[in-house]
Amino acid sequence: MTDEHLDRMVRDADPYRPGVIRHLDGAAQNLVEEIMSVPTLDPVAEPPGKRFRARRGVMSGLAGASVAATLLAGVLTVSIMKLDQPDGHPTTPAITSEATDPAAYSAMVLKAAEENPRLLIDQPGWKATTVYGFAEKTGTIAFSDGERQVEMNWYPAGQYDGYHEDRLHVSKPEPVKVDGWSADLFRYSASDFAVMLRPRDGSFVELRTGGTWTRSEFDRVLADVVRVDARTWLAALPPEIVTPERVDEQAAKVLADVPLPPGFDTTTLGDLGTNDAYQFGAKVTSRVGCGWIAEWLRAKKAGDDAALRRAADALRSSHKWTVLHQMNDEGDWPEAFWETADKVAAGKPPAQYEEALGCE
């Protein structure tokens, strides 16, 4: 099995958290069989060769922890201090933005930003397109200039040796630096590269290319990857990204035509962290779907026919939820949700629905 083959399978099944697969149909069954046949890194399976897709996978990179992320939106009006430079002097980069007042950031968001690598691409034309999967020392931000992509993934520092050993099977490492940060570059092909930065502050970062690159093009982008302070990092957040402060407003939009299961508490959605709109919609509808399935199972066991019908009707109504239709052109989560919801409503809940919907 090649790296690209496994990667496609991982993206199609999309792991929700270690040991769990979101969408367990035929593809997921094959994925489990493949993973069981090859060694994994401690403590989670290595996601080799991440690829960029036109459509997102099922709840792509979804993880249930509250960590602030950042997206680089087109034009930032903040200047960036390049950290770790010998002279320590600020630079005047190409990055500009319509940022909100930095003083308005909550202590929680600032703390989360401090705990992440905080890397941006300081070149005109590069825009962050995806943010997901932030859980403690784990996260992903993908940047694109319209033709090429760079995905930045970070993991706990304790996993560095395992990942690095795996990359040694890809190619001989070439030493490089990213804003003064020591790293190794690996070649998957003449146009496909990965750069692993050494562990720092409890995590390590890997940059992976998408699209067709030359080495000189990649070197030019690497030269303009900068590590910034927390407030500068947060100032790059465009308004469409759902930060903890924006959760209530965005949740109201997502849930406008969505029936809520008994006991559903919208105030708990604040723990979903920072996400792009797609990931936020997936996380919220995941909780709603899981709540209705739990109610269906309760009613079935109790012989409560009225409640059973209400739960089934609510799950069937998901085919009319605006948020899922808005997401459907972008990714696979709505299709996976509907498949599971329809089976439950028909009285045949999948044995592994928790994994399919990412239920707690």
Side-chain angles (χ1 to χ4, degrees):
M1 180 182 63
T2 66
D3 284 351
E4 292 295 330
H5 179 205
L6 177 58
D7 181 68
R8 286 194 298 271
M9 298 180 72
V10 170
R11 286 303 179 101
D12 288 339
D14 270 323
Y16 178 75
R17 53 184 181 272
V20 179
I21 299 173
R22 282 189 204 94
H23 183 40
L24 291 179
D25 51 15
Q29 181 62 40
N30 291 336
L31 176 64
V32 171
E33 292 172 0
E34 293 276 8
I35 290 176
M36 292 302 291
S37 69
V38 297
T40 60
L41 299 179
D42 182 27
V44 298
E46 157 70 0
K50 285 178 175 281
R51 299 290 81 200
F52 293 82
R53 302 174 59 198
R55 281 175 60 84
R56 302 195 195 193
V58 182
M59 295 181 77
S60 179
L62 183 58
S66 177
V67 178
T70 182
L71 289 185
L72 181 59
V75 189
L76 293 168
T77 56
V78 293
S79 67
I80 290 182
M81 171 74 76
K82 284 184 125 181
L83 304 185
D84 308 315
Q85 294 302 305
D87 57 9
H89 292 158
T91 64
T92 306
I95 303 176
T96 56
S97 168
E98 300 171 0
T100 57
D101 179 7
Y105 299 133
S106 70
M108 176 184 68
V109 171
L110 285 172
K111 181 177 183 296
E114 290 286 357
E115 294 174 352
N116 283 288
R118 306 188 307 278
L119 297 176
L120 301 175
I121 298 178
D122 183 19
Q123 270 190 18
W126 282 91
K127 178 179 179 179
T129 56
T130 302
V131 51
Y132 64 78
F134 293 88
E136 298 177 351
K137 296 295 183 180
T138 303
T140 294
I141 295 177
F143 296 86
S144 173
D145 68 352
E147 296 181 357
R148 298 165 300 170
Q149 300 84 32
V150 175
E151 190 170 90
M152 301 180 183
N153 304 282
W154 55 90
Y155 311 94
Q159 296 180 21
Y160 175 83
D161 290 341
Y163 275 65
H164 193 271
E165 182 179 353
D166 178 85
R167 296 298 183 265
L168 294 177
H169 298 289
V170 173
S171 74
K172 180 179 179 180
E174 303 175 43
V176 295
K177 287 187 179 293
V178 177
D179 197 8
W181 196 339
S182 296
D184 288 328
L185 182 146
F186 298 91
R187 294 173 180 260
Y188 281 83
S189 72
S191 61
D192 186 2
F193 310 98
V195 169
M196 289 187 64
L197 281 68
R198 304 291 170 80
R200 180 176 188 166
D201 299 331
S203 66
F204 74 94
V205 184
E206 180 176 58
L207 283 67
R208 185 69 194 275
T209 59
T212 301
W213 291 76
T214 65
R215 174 62 191 273
S216 61
E217 289 171 339
F218 190 44
D219 284 344
R220 285 195 293 272
V221 170
L222 284 180
D224 287 326
V225 173
V226 294
R227 183 172 186 261
V228 301
D229 61 81
R231 288 186 179 275
T232 299
W233 198 56
L234 289 167
L237 284 168
E240 63 268 24
I241 300 307
V242 186
T243 61
E245 286 87 352
R246 300 168 184 162
V247 164
D248 290 345
E249 178 183 0
Q250 186 65 17
K253 295 177 182 178
V254 169
L255 298 173
D257 59 353
V258 175
L260 301 182
F264 190 89
D265 184 1
T266 59
T267 64
T268 64
L269 299 177
D271 67 3
L272 294 179
T274 298
N275 303 273
D276 58 47
Y278 181 95
Q279 302 302 331
F280 184 78
K283 291 182 179 184
V284 172
T285 52
S286 166
R287 291 195 178 182
V288 172
C290 293
W292 277 120
I293 294 175
E295 171 64 5
W296 189 94
L297 293 172
R298 182 206 66 78
K300 181 73 173 178
K301 184 177 181 179
D304 188 342
D305 292 339
L308 194 67
R309 285 193 298 272
R310 282 194 298 272
D313 288 345
L315 291 168
R316 291 191 191 96
S317 76
S318 63
H319 286 276
K320 299 180 180 180
W321 297 356
T322 300
V323 63
L324 293 182
H325 285 281
Q326 290 172 338
M327 297 168 63
N328 202 29
D329 287 341
E330 187 175 357
D332 300 322
W333 169 247
E335 300 292 341
F337 187 99
W338 290 327
E339 180 181 343
T340 300
D342 289 346
K343 288 179 179 179
V344 176
K348 300 177 181 179
Q352 295 169 319
Y353 76 88
E354 296 97 337
E355 290 87 347
L357 295 190
C359 301
E360 295 295 332

